């Protein structure tokens, strides 16, 4: 009888998101980069961010797991916002593509946006690639390369904050 109840419980739990609640969590990272005042348009410009420390070991520990139990890590959102100038917006951009790189790994595209409208927006939500970034986030640090294409000249530097949210799917202490 206990075996039947156990099997029924497993079937019910496998059919719903209850298990996911205990085996998935988010990691948030933030960095800034500067798009310098420009004299050219419609030309890709590469900007590298400083190293972003992952603190992955402590993030995993805080969520009752370890690096060897991580099944996947995917970027679920990447939001850009203007830090300065205070009245700045993204009208000057035509497109943005963001790549991730870490020691010993190949650089890959993780998010992008094209045909940015001239709507005086001071935030942009990029479209994520859906790639599994487990190998990058498990490293001590990674860098981002931001490729921008402008469609308007800007007379002053624009400091942009990038807020990233990664969804970690793990086995919580082997469960």
């Amino acid at each position: 009888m206990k075996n039947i109840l156990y099997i029924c419980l497993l079937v019910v739990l496998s059919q719903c998101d209850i298990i996911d609640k205990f085996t998935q969590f988010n990691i948030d990272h933030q960095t800034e980069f500067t798009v310098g005042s420009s004299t050219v348009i419609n030309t890709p410009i590469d900007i590298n961010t400083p190293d972003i420390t992952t603190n992955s070991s402590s993030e995993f520990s805080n969520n009752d797991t370890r690096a060897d139990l991580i099944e996947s890590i995917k970027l679920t959102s990447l939001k850009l916002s203007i830090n300065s100038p205070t009245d700045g917006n993204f009208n000057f951009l035509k497109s943005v593509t963001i790549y991730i790189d870490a020691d010993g790994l190949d650089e890959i595209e993780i998010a992008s946006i094209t045909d940015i409208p001239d709507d005086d927006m001071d935030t942009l939500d990029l479209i994520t690639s859906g790639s599994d970034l487990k190998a990058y986030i498990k490293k001590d640090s990674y860098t981002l390369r931001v490729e921008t294409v402008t469609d308007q000249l800007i007379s002053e530097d624009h400091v942009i904050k990038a807020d990233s949210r990664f969804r970690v799917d793990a086995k919580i202490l082997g469960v």
Side-chain angles (χ1 to χ4, degrees), residues 148-161:
T148 61
V149 177
T150 60
D151 61 3
Q152 294 179 19
L153 297 177
I154 55 173
S155 59
E156 60 185 310
D157 291 353
H158 282 61
V159 178
I160 298 173
K161 179 176 69 169

Side-chain angles (χ1 to χ4, degrees), residues 22-25 27 56-71 73 168-175:
F22 297 110
T23 63
Q24 295 180 347
F25 57 94
I27 296 177
S56 59
S57 294
S58 63
E59 291 281 355
F60 298 156
S61 178
N62 290 342
N63 287 282
D64 297 324
T65 194
R66 303 180 311 257
D68 62 316
L69 298 175
I70 301 302
E71 295 177 332
I73 301 177
V168 179
D169 191 359
K171 295 179 182 176
I172 306 299
L173 293 181
V175 175

Side-chain angles (χ1 to χ4, degrees), residues 116-154:
I116 299 169
D118 290 336
D119 291 340
D120 294 333
M121 297 183 303
D122 61 358
T123 62
L124 289 176
D125 290 312
L126 278 67
I127 299 165
T128 61
S129 69
S131 299
D132 187 356
L133 304 174
K134 171 175 62 174
Y136 297 86
I137 305 304
K138 287 170 62 173
K139 295 280 190 175
D140 291 334
S141 66
Y142 63 87
T143 58
L144 298 178
R145 180 173 62 88
V146 181
E147 181 184 89
T148 61
V149 177
T150 60
D151 61 3
Q152 294 179 19
L153 297 177
I154 55 173

